[in-house]
Each structure stands twice: as structure tokens, then as C-alpha cells.
Amino acid sequence: MQARHSQIAPPVDQHSSTSPRELGPLGAASRPDASCPALGACDHGKPPDLDRYDAVLFDWDGTLANSHPLNFRGLSRACTSWGLTMDESFYTSRIGTSGAELISELAAATGTHVPIDQVVAQCLDLILDEIATLQTYRPVVQLAESLHGSLPLAIASGGARRAVHAGLDATGLRPLFADVIAGEDAPRGKPDPGLFLLTSASLAVAPARCLVYEDSNEGIQAAKAAGMDVVDVRCFRT
């Protein structure tokens, strides 16, 4: 295979295993750093050997887009209108879980019956009302921009299709991605691997040849379960 990204030096620590790996942000593992929020070892910026891959998949919420504050406001306001209280600690402890699953879990825990689809729809309307204010994580966007044209890129998000597409349009990032797979496209959300497997299939790339960028524990689990290497962006995205 002809070498791609020759301007990027490969990581010093090469891995011989063919099993899915959790790489540090942009690279292979090194010594842990107590100040870094990424799980496991992290090399704080060393890029992986991209010649191992034929496609790169990006999560959306919390990876490319700083959308969690906006999503939380929409969810909490929608829940309040149906007699549910979603506090921020509950939301942040389950980042990576779909809105429908969060609402269902909250309703079950409080013994409250709510029409999940209607609450989700109301939440989406509230999110879209603010979508023009959506901010991106510039280091991750710059990474995607640097890969665009060299490898096919795709979005694999558990978020609602309307919100993801609106966010891509609002931020001008849509042209970077060959495909967008959203929460409605799979029967289960992350940590189930279905979203990632659907995305690799849409690109006609074997899962083992895909590299994933993620920000949540659930997303990292899903990528590993799909047989893909995964980079935790929580160290370098800010």
C-alpha cells in the first residue's frame, strides 16, 4: 500500500496485536497523566499510524461539536414540561446514551409514564431553536480537515438525525463527510456496536480498517465491540 500522510510521524510504540485498541488521543499509549481526563494511557497528541486504516469515523456530540450544553438544556426543558426532572449530573453520567434512552430511564426510575417520542420531538425542537449557537471543538475539526481527501470520513452518532444534520449545516462541516449515520439508523444506541458497523458498511470498509474518534465511555465500548481501534478525544479536544 502506498504510504499516506507521510508528513505525520508514526508513534514510537508500535502495536503488533490485531485486536481493537484504545489509543491515546491521536496516538499510541504512553504513561498515564493524572491531569488528563481520557481513560487509560494517553500520549497527548502523537498521531497514530494512519496507514493502518481505510476510513475514519467520528462521533458528533462531544467529539466534533460542543453540543452537550445545548442538548442538556433541550432535554431538561422538555422533561420539565412532562413532569420529569433531569439534573445535569444524571445527564453527564450517561453521555453517549440517546435522548430516548435517557428519558425512558428517568421515567422508569420515577415511576412516571410519558410519551417518549413526544418528549424527544419537543427536545429536538428546543435544540434546533439554538443550533445556530453550536460551537465546535477546533482541534478535532482541524484533524478531520487534515484527513479530508486522503481517507473517507463519516459521522457515526447516536444523536437524532435532525439534530446532527442541522449541526453539520450550522457549523459548515457537512462537506467533510462521505456519510452520516445517526441514532434512528440502528435499533440500539452505543455501547451497542451497531452504529459503527452500519457506518463501516456504508463506506464498504472492513471494521478492522476503521479508526474511530470518540468522547464517551459508551462510544469507546461500542467501537471496540465493532472491532475498531478508537481514540479518546477528551484530552486534546479543548
Side-chain angles (χ1 to χ4, degrees):
M1 179 183 299
Q2 184 178 357
R4 293 165 296 193
H5 315 291
S6 57
Q7 76 278 13
I8 300 178
V12 173
D13 179 20
Q14 298 292 333
H15 293 252
S16 60
S17 172
T18 58
S19 61
R21 299 176 293 161
E22 181 182 343
L23 306 175
L26 297 181
S30 64
R31 291 188 303 170
D33 181 338
S35 67
C36 174
L39 295 178
C42 172
D43 70 1
H44 318 295
K46 189 185 297 295
D49 181 5
L50 292 171
D51 287 325
R52 289 173 51 91
Y53 308 106
D54 293 326
V56 181
L57 314 185
F58 288 84
D59 173 52
W60 176 248
D61 294 300
T63 298
L64 285 157
N66 185 12
S67 52
H68 290 315
L70 190 156
N71 291 345
F72 170 68
R73 287 195 298 273
L75 270 171
S76 62
R77 289 169 61 190
C79 285
T80 297
S81 69
W82 291 90
L84 295 173
T85 300
M86 180 176 290
D87 60 43
E88 194 165 3
S89 62
F90 176 86
Y91 173 80
T92 56
S93 70
R94 291 157 177 81
I95 282 177
T97 306
S98 72
E101 290 170 313
L102 282 174
I103 296 163
S104 296
E105 185 177 343
L106 184 60
T110 59
T112 307
H113 175 74
V114 297
I116 302 299
D117 290 345
Q118 292 183 47
V119 183
V120 169
Q122 183 175 347
C123 170
L124 283 175
D125 288 339
L126 293 166
I127 289 171
L128 294 181
D129 285 345
E130 297 187 59
I131 202 68
T133 68
L134 181 64
Q135 301 294 309
T136 62
Y137 286 111
R138 190 61 194 160
V140 189
V141 170
Q142 289 174 330
L143 171 68
E145 290 171 339
S146 73
L147 295 175
H148 179 59
S150 298
L151 288 170
L153 312 181
I155 298 290
S157 171
R161 185 181 296 110
R162 287 173 60 203
V164 176
H165 281 276
L168 285 165
D169 289 337
T171 57
L173 296 181
R174 183 187 290 274
L176 296 179
F177 300 99
D179 203 357
V180 179
I181 302 298
E184 295 93 331
D185 296 316
R188 291 178 296 277
K190 303 167 186 177
D192 186 88
L195 279 165
F196 287 123
L197 293 173
L198 282 171
T199 309
S200 65
S202 78
L203 298 176
V205 174
R209 298 290 299 180
C210 293
L211 176 65
V212 174
Y213 285 90
E214 260 286 355
D215 77 302
S216 71
N217 297 348
E218 291 84 356
I220 289 169
Q221 282 183 260
K224 289 181 175 180
M228 301 175 183
D229 287 349
V230 57
V231 172
D232 187 333
V233 304
R234 284 174 283 191
C235 173
F236 76 96
R237 69 183 176 186
T238 55

